[in-house]
Amino acid sequence: QVQLVESGGGLVQPGGSLRLSCAASGSIFSSDVMGWYRQVPGKQRELVADIISRGSTNYEDSVKGRFTISIDYDKNTVYLQMNSLKPEDTAVYYCNFQGRRGNYWGKGTLVTVSS
């Protein structure tokens, strides 16, 4: 079983930045897919970005050029650097692990973009 703990959410003004972290309880292997999803009330959870191995990344169109996903295999931690934040980025952000050990979710961290 893999436990995921997110941190780094909070309140930020439009145009600001935040970095989310997701610490995994076990090792993350290069074959595992780590992702960040977000969800607002009344809508489905959507993929924001994911990463596999050290360089293969995928981003939702609205965050391309603003968000960057990265992974530190030594610390078993995945990050989401969010720049130029917009009010429409407001959501609960969830970390996701997909691999041979299964599919796991963190409990989420709230990001609020507001002036």
Side-chain angles (χ1 to χ4, degrees):
Q1 188 171 1
V2 177
Q3 293 182 332
L4 305 172
V5 179
E6 303 101 332
S7 61
L11 173 64
V12 63
Q13 292 186 341
S17 297
L18 282 175
R19 188 177 81 155
L20 305 183
S21 300
C22 172
S25 60
S27 297
I28 302 173
F29 302 116
S30 59
S31 59
D32 297 326
V33 180
M34 298 298 300
W36 285 98
Y37 289 71
R38 65 186 179 187
Q39 189 171 23
V40 297
K43 291 190 175 182
Q44 287 189 331
R45 193 171 296 185
E46 65 174 4
L47 175 67
V48 176
D50 61 21
I51 183 169
I52 183 169
S53 188
R54 294 185 184 273
S56 179
T57 57
N58 177 49
Y59 294 94
E60 193 270 328
D61 285 346
S62 70
V63 308
K64 287 180 180 177
R66 300 189 297 122
F67 292 10
T68 303
I69 189 170
S70 61
I71 192 165
D72 186 330
Y73 288 100
D74 292 333
K75 295 182 179 180
N76 298 315
T77 300
V78 63
Y79 304 97
L80 185 68
Q81 178 66 44
M82 306 186 294
N83 299 327
S84 302
L85 282 160
K86 304 175 181 180
E88 51 263 43
D89 294 318
T90 295
V92 177
Y93 285 70
Y94 296 90
C95 181
N96 176 256
F97 170 99
Q98 295 182 45
R100 290 184 178 180
R101 286 164 283 174
N103 186 4
Y104 299 96
W105 292 92
K107 292 183 178 181
T109 184
L110 176 63
V111 172
T112 303
V113 185
S114 176
S115 55

